[in-house]
Amino acid sequence: MQNASPRIRVYQAADCPELTRLDVSKLGRAYHKIPKIISAKFDNLEARVGIFFLKKYRLNALLNNMTFDIDCHYKNAQIFSTPHGNIGFEINRKFLLSILHTYYGLSKEGNPVSLDLTQPVTKTEDRLKTKLGHELLQLIMVQEVLNETLELKNDYTAVIHQWSYSVRFWLEGYDEYCFSILLDAHHVDLLLATSRADNESSEPQAKNLSPEQVEHMFTNMPLTLTGRLVSINITVAQLLNIGPGDIIPVSLNEPLPVFIEKEQIFSSVVAEERGRLYLSEFNDKNSRDEV
């Protein structure tokens, strides 16, 4: 009988799940685990980001979603150096101007300030972007995700347009407001190593028991004893000739061999009390029982 030909299911591009692209240089690195690692901390990140913007910049901005991407190109990212490499920060200019106007009190109820994105970037914007990048990187990536203490320094000499990984943070109620944290290959490896260390530390560790505890566990270990009450030696021909009503002569084992699993440990005597059989008078197994 021939096997049926395999069926091929065709999906529309809009119905396909988001895919993680890996090139040859990424083989051996678990880049596909990064979204799960960071998304597991979403509740903490949401609380930290909301409190940060409300207390620091008087802006009610709550974290709504995070998106992830590999091999991203950012031309004007703010670059910071750490002992492990470089981390980048990028923010939507409309969001940056909104923070700037709210922080300096230019945008008030009844007197909104139009955000003219055609104007050249000012020094005030640059300073605010640097300040935001340093604070958000320390708050989100270093403290919450990497769980380390890293010294961030402004790196004005580095020219990095291609980043190994990016995490984009979208804000609730603002479709265009977002900021991104960019990681080079060294920090991706650091993130994955930190995750492995957290998983290993969360595994239950073996406890060192005292000799008294070990002795107590050993002496209270439950065991099942099995006694061979009767035995008979017959041939296969005799076994095949046994029929209903036949009487099989047997002899009681005296003393009775006692086993743990298949290993005989000692011999015993069978005693009867109130219709029940009990093992008594335990002795070492006889030498004739040894093979």
Side-chain angles (χ1 to χ4, degrees), residues 87-99:
I87 299 181
F89 175 79
E90 181 59 44
I91 186 170
N92 176 273
R93 192 185 179 197
K94 190 174 182 179
F95 183 25
L96 181 63
L97 289 174
S98 178
I99 296 173

Side-chain angles (χ1 to χ4, degrees), residues 42-61:
F42 181 85
D43 292 340
N44 292 341
L45 293 175
E46 181 185 26
R48 284 178 177 269
V49 169
I51 295 173
F52 169 79
F53 281 113
L54 188 61
K55 293 181 65 176
K56 286 270 188 178
Y57 298 98
R58 311 185 191 100
L59 184 68
N60 187 17

Side-chain angles (χ1 to χ4, degrees), residues 75-93:
K75 186 176 181 181
N76 298 316
Q78 184 67 42
I79 301 175
F80 298 87
S81 64
T82 75
H84 301 281
N86 292 100
I87 299 181
F89 175 79
E90 181 59 44
I91 186 170
N92 176 273
R93 192 185 179 197

Side-chain angles (χ1 to χ4, degrees), residues 19-244:
L19 301 178
T20 299
R21 303 184 304 275
L22 289 178
D23 57 22
V24 176
S25 64
K26 303 297 187 299
L27 296 180
R29 293 174 176 171
Y31 276 50
H32 61 285
K33 294 184 179 180
I34 296 179
K36 183 178 180 180
I37 294 171
I38 300 180
S39 297
K41 302 178 182 293
F42 181 85
D43 292 340
N44 292 341
L45 293 175
E46 181 185 26
R48 284 178 177 269
V49 169
I51 295 173
F52 169 79
F53 281 113
L54 188 61
K55 293 181 65 176
K56 286 270 188 178
Y57 298 98
R58 311 185 191 100
L59 184 68
N60 187 17
L62 298 177
L63 187 61
N64 180 50
N65 189 24
M66 296 183 296
T67 55
F68 308 87
D69 201 5
I70 293 177
D71 289 333
C72 311
H73 184 82
Y74 286 85
K75 186 176 181 181
N76 298 316
Q78 184 67 42
I79 301 175
F80 298 87
S81 64
T82 75
H84 301 281
N86 292 100
I87 299 181
F89 175 79
E90 181 59 44
I91 186 170
N92 176 273
R93 192 185 179 197
K94 190 174 182 179
F95 183 25
L96 181 63
L97 289 174
S98 178
I99 296 173
L100 184 66
H101 293 161
T102 303
Y103 182 69
Y104 287 105
L106 302 178
S107 177
K108 297 181 179 179
E109 187 176 355
N111 185 28
V113 176
S114 60
L115 304 178
D116 189 358
L117 304 181
T118 61
Q119 295 294 325
V121 178
T122 63
K123 295 294 184 180
T124 305
E125 287 183 58
D126 280 336
R127 287 193 296 268
L128 180 60
K129 181 178 179 180
T130 302
K131 178 179 173 61
L132 275 172
H134 190 278
E135 293 174 339
L136 286 173
L137 286 176
Q138 282 286 2
L139 181 71
I140 296 176
M141 185 55 60
V142 176
Q143 296 181 15
E144 186 64 36
V145 177
L146 296 178
N147 196 23
E148 284 196 14
T149 302
L150 295 180
E151 183 181 1
L152 291 174
K153 295 182 179 179
N154 297 334
D155 194 343
Y156 298 105
T157 60
V159 179
I160 304 176
H161 294 163
Q162 197 73 18
W163 297 89
S164 295
Y165 211 92
S166 76
V167 185
R168 180 168 293 181
F169 300 84
W170 298 90
L171 301 182
E172 186 175 347
Y174 304 95
D175 294 337
E176 299 179 5
Y177 286 10
C178 65
F179 61 91
S180 302
I181 292 179
L182 314 173
L183 304 176
D184 62 6
H186 301 290
H187 285 90
V188 172
D189 293 340
L190 178 63
L191 172 61
L192 295 174
T194 303
S195 174
R196 287 193 295 268
D198 291 341
N199 293 335
E200 292 173 358
S201 62
S202 63
E203 296 179 354
Q205 302 294 326
K207 297 182 178 179
N208 294 326
L209 301 178
S210 64
E212 292 77 10
Q213 291 175 317
V214 174
E215 181 179 359
H216 177 76
M217 292 176 61
F218 180 78
T219 55
N220 289 275
M221 184 183 299
L223 295 175
T224 301
L225 300 179
T226 304
R228 184 180 297 163
L229 185 60
V230 297
S231 62
I232 182 175
N233 294 324
I234 60 175
T235 64
V236 175
Q238 292 173 323
L239 179 63
L240 294 175
N241 291 329
I242 295 176

